[in-house]
Amino acid sequence: MTETPSGPLAGVRVLDMTNVLAGPYACYQLALMGAEVTKVEVPNGGDLARRLGSDAQLNGDLMGVSFLAQNAQKRSITLDLKTEGGRAVMRRLVAEADVLCENFRPGVLARLGFDWETLRGINPRLVYCAISGFGQTGPLRSKPAYDQIIQGGSGMMSVTGTAGTSPLRAGYPIADTLGGLAAAFAISSALHGRDRTGEGSHIDVSMLETAVTAMGWVVSNHLVAGQEPRALGNDNGTAAPSGTFQTASGALNIAANKQEQFEALTSVIGRPELAQDARFRDREDRKRFRAELTAEIERALSEHDTAHWEERLSAAGVPAAAVLTVPEMLESPQIVERELVHDLPFPGRSGETLRVLGNGIRLDDRASAPTAPPPVLGQHTDEVLSELGYDAAQIHALHDEGAV
């Protein structure tokens, strides 16, 4: 049996009926906080993420990298809700659960016989979270959506890149991840609310709206100040010098957003006169003459490598850091000491190790870490059925029916 997790959500039972990323990511966050997550998957395939990733062999084994990354610390049961036996099992699962999370298109679960009213009738304390691209209402509610679609529809792509390269997709599935974080937060909040009221909740998470809210000042500048958002490449539109600069050896991010930081910067790079230049005297002037200021700074930075400038600027109180590759980041002393990466037994591969991420949250100075590897499809079906009260003969009959 999967090791009983510990943490602030220990004892909370979650039914994870999600696929691919946003939903699995949300439920993974709950698992890392101690929830007991049971992944409910369709037979003969399961979560689509089992077939997604850069390793073709793993995809063929239904253990794709995309699945492995978000499903540690979960159990897997296969269930066909189109069968009477499958629906009966589902009713028992719901009766025992605290949370049900799904990311089907709106209406799919209802057509299978489990709309919100039915679920609430089975378990009035259930927290039901539905994650979808556009939400459960509105003219786009039934439109299919993946991260790429949401990035484009939210306006994110229009402000990513430069004037010459925009619209540009972010290099990772940011909209999916944001939707998952929002869902995990909403579920945790609803559980707290249930402790007060004794009643469950229906949560409707829109990936589109979550993505828009995460754009911060880009949207706010338009809503409040009427400024037309535009792509600024690596520059921070709120301040200068704040962006990516070239040194003698590569790229260095500098964020001298305060006046004292700008003055410290000019001193460190040996160009104190820049702080007195009329073009660069205050924040608005520096934004207006950003290109000229960048040229002056990079001329000075070209005298030494990135490490030299990162050390000296940071010591002077100027936020500065090298631009790292993903492998460089994973090997950095900061990430290593904080225990973000965790080693688990590789499911289905005796003696091999699977490396997965935690969530960057430490509780009582302990990293939030999974203790069990991602499950093989249906690995815990009989175990879960037994816990629900099915005997061996009944479990055998469910398998014969194709219900599990």
Side-chain angles (χ1 to χ4, degrees):
M1 184 171 179
T2 303
E3 181 178 335
T4 301
S6 61
L9 293 181
V12 172
R13 291 159 297 189
V14 178
L15 297 180
D16 177 0
M17 301 186 73
T18 66
N19 274 270
V20 187
L21 182 51
Y25 183 81
C27 293
Y28 184 46
Q29 304 313 301
L30 301 177
L32 289 172
M33 291 293 108
E36 300 170 16
V37 179
T38 298
K39 193 167 182 67
V40 181
E41 303 185 73
V42 295
N44 304 316
D47 186 342
L48 175 61
R50 289 183 177 276
R51 303 184 292 281
L52 301 177
S54 58
D55 188 312
Q57 182 177 341
L58 286 173
N59 295 343
D61 293 339
L62 298 182
M63 296 301 286
V65 173
S66 296
F67 178 83
L68 294 171
Q70 312 299 338
N71 289 283
Q73 198 63 52
K74 300 180 185 181
R75 297 194 292 176
S76 171
I77 174 174
T78 54
L79 201 60
D80 186 350
L81 294 184
K82 295 179 181 179
T83 66
E84 180 51 44
R87 290 189 291 271
V89 172
M90 180 67 177
R91 286 189 285 271
R92 292 201 197 186
L93 285 169
V94 170
E96 298 293 325
D98 296 292
V99 176
L100 189 158
C101 186
E102 54 97 345
N103 62 346
F104 303 119
R105 284 200 220 175
V108 168
L109 197 57
R111 288 195 294 273
L112 291 169
F114 294 96
D115 58 26
W116 169 231
E117 292 305 317
T118 299
L119 292 168
R120 184 163 57 177
I122 298 170
N123 183 352
R125 289 175 54 81
L126 184 71
V127 172
Y128 170 45
C129 179
I131 308 170
S132 60
F134 302 97
Q136 302 296 303
T137 60
L140 299 180
R141 64 184 295 271
S142 297
K143 186 176 180 179
Y146 285 117
D147 179 88
Q148 181 94 20
I149 304 303
I150 301 302
Q151 284 203 35
S154 66
M156 282 184 173
M157 290 175 64
S158 73
V159 295
T160 302
T162 65
T165 61
S166 177
L168 199 63
R169 176 187 178 277
Y172 62 101
I174 179 65
D176 266 322
T177 304
L178 289 169
L181 282 174
F185 168 71
I187 290 168
S188 300
S189 300
L191 287 169
H192 177 71
R194 189 188 68 175
D195 288 344
R196 188 179 66 256
T197 67
E199 297 182 358
S201 303
H202 180 285
I203 301 169
D204 173 4
V205 176
S206 161
M207 287 170 54
L208 175 66
E209 293 166 45
T210 302
V212 172
T213 63
M215 293 170 67
W217 54 260
V218 172
V219 174
S220 298
N221 279 341
H222 181 65
L223 288 174
V224 179
Q227 182 183 87
E228 187 69 23
R230 58 192 181 92
L232 296 174
N234 291 326
D235 289 329
N236 176 0
T238 66
S242 189
T244 306
F245 299 82
Q246 294 301 311
T247 72
S249 64
L252 176 70
N253 277 328
I254 299 174
N257 296 346
K258 299 178 181 179
Q259 182 66 30
E260 59 266 31
Q261 290 170 340
F262 172 61
E263 293 174 3
L265 167 67
T266 62
S267 176
V268 170
I269 66 175
R271 296 293 306 279
E273 73 277 7
L274 293 177
Q276 305 304 316
D277 191 309
R279 297 171 296 172
F280 314 135
R281 194 161 293 160
D282 63 34
R283 174 187 295 268
E284 294 306 315
D285 289 331
R286 292 193 291 275
K287 288 162 59 179
R288 193 160 47 248
F289 292 98
R290 183 189 300 272
E292 292 86 346
L293 179 56
T294 295
E296 296 288 352
I297 292 172
E298 290 189 332
R299 189 173 295 115
L301 295 179
S302 68
E303 297 178 3
H304 297 283
D305 64 18
T306 297
H308 171 94
W309 293 119
E310 179 177 356
E311 178 182 353
R312 282 156 181 76
L313 288 170
S314 296
V318 180
V323 177
L324 303 179
T325 65
V326 171
E328 288 171 341
M329 171 274 296
L330 291 172
E331 294 169 5
S332 69
Q334 182 69 23
I335 293 297
V336 171
E337 182 173 324
R338 295 279 295 179
E339 300 176 290
L340 180 63
V341 181
H342 305 281
D343 293 343
L344 298 170
F346 206 116
R349 293 187 175 184
S350 178
E352 293 190 31
T353 298
L354 172 68
R355 309 194 75 202
V356 299
L357 298 178
N359 60 6
I361 298 169
R362 296 181 71 90
L363 290 173
D364 298 324
D365 200 32
R366 292 180 59 188
S368 302
T371 58
V376 172
L377 179 62
Q379 178 179 342
H380 305 94
T381 297
D382 290 359
E383 177 182 300
V384 172
L385 291 174
S386 179
E387 292 171 4
L388 291 173
Y390 287 90
D391 61 28
Q394 291 171 319
I395 293 173
H396 184 75
L398 287 168
H399 281 285
D400 284 346
E401 183 189 354
V404 296

